[in-house]
Amino acid sequence: MEQKLIEIRDNAREELCGIKEKEGLASFKVKYLGKQGLLTSVLRGMRDISPEDRPKIGMLVNEIRDEIESKINLKEKEFDNVELLKELENTAIDITEPGKAHEKGGLHPLSQVYDLLIDSCVNMGFKVVDGPEVELDYYNFEALNIPKNHPSRDMQDTFFVSENILLRSQTSSVQARSMQTMKPPFKIISPGRVYRNDSDATHSPVFHQMEGLVIDENISMADLKSMLTILMRKTFGEATQIRFRPSFFPFTEPSVEVDVTCPNCKGEGCRICKGTGFMELLGAGIVNPKVLEINGIDSKKYRGFAFGFGVDRVAMVKNEIGDIRSMFRNDIRFLKQMK
Ligand code: PHE
């Protein structure tokens, strides 16, 4: 019996040395230590052994089982380590590879121009007022002295939602709302999105305006002119000149178109200003007393001036953008140039 056990032990030692994989280890374990294993079957023969020899044989069996078990465990750990090393090698990070830089964003040219314009106006004491883009016909037109079917509505190709609801075609709608809710004297600007059914290189169905309104006693064209001169100089540079040309708007009387020194050629005359040295930019005028009355302001006591212009146009001229539509395409290459 003892002889047999020693034989089993020696065979096990030898076999274990030849095992090179984890799978082999598992079947080895079954072969020696399993229920039908070699060592187990020897134990079954214990009843044939004389009682005085039993403790000795039992000890030997235990010794051999412990040895085999601990050797299996050791080998298992070895295999695990080899696997781990292999895995580490395969998934190694190349720390010398150049990284991907996080791209920095920039403000859209429109936001840049809005910031500049709004800052200048706020410094002059204007309050920024907001209003709805889906607007009542009443605030967009009627309260500004443009009754239904008035021919001047043709100037603004309007998107109607229903008979009395539209997408605002001018931020002047905010002026009407403000006149009805604010107590004069006040100075407001209303920057925002407006909509007109028009689309080519210089017109987009959605574009941006900024309008201003000042209501006070003794307001005159001189106030309008000085205020606009300051705003345009802050926007386009200190050498900028402005000039007034007579015009017509139903909500101002008298009305003017305001030209500014062409920011591209500084007045020399170029392709952008068609050789005139000036660029047409704003509509403005003294608020028509009729508009004051419609909106509940005493026209005997108060007067006002108003102005409005396209912010997209300012952004285009300042950044030499040829097509207004490129500002709304979200092309990252375009936006990168505007940082
Ligand atoms: N609202 C006018 C437009 O969109 C511009 C304007 C504003 C003219 C204020 C005069 C006074 O064309």
Side-chain angles (χ1 to χ4, degrees), residues 144 155-156 169-173 175 194 196 207 209-212 248-249 251-252 255-256 282-286 305-309:
L144 297 165
M155 291 197 292
Q156 305 185 0
S169 63
Q170 50 184 354
T171 47
S172 312
S173 54
Q175 326 286 36
V194 297
R196 290 183 199 177
F207 62 106
Q209 279 192 336
M210 194 174 96
E211 300 214 359
F248 172 80
F249 299 104
F251 32 87
T252 46
S255 302
V256 288
L282 302 101
I286 296 296
F305 71 72
F307 61 90
F309 58 98

Side-chain angles (χ1 to χ4, degrees), residues 87-147:
E87 203 178 302
L88 282 178
E89 243 165 55
N90 289 339
T91 57
I93 299 167
D94 179 2
I95 55 163
T96 62
E97 188 175 299
K100 277 191 194 135
H102 281 287
E103 291 210 44
K104 252 199 204 150
L107 284 179
H108 191 279
L110 265 174
S111 305
Q112 292 174 24
V113 169
Y114 259 137
D115 285 354
L116 182 69
L117 290 167
I118 292 171
D119 270 4
S120 306
C121 289
V122 168
N123 282 339
M124 286 188 268
F126 283 80
K127 190 172 173 248
V128 182
V129 189
D130 212 359
E133 289 174 28
V134 180
E135 183 56 287
L136 292 171
D137 182 292
Y138 171 73
Y139 288 112
N140 196 83
F141 289 128
E142 283 166 71
L144 297 165
N145 194 31
I146 314 174

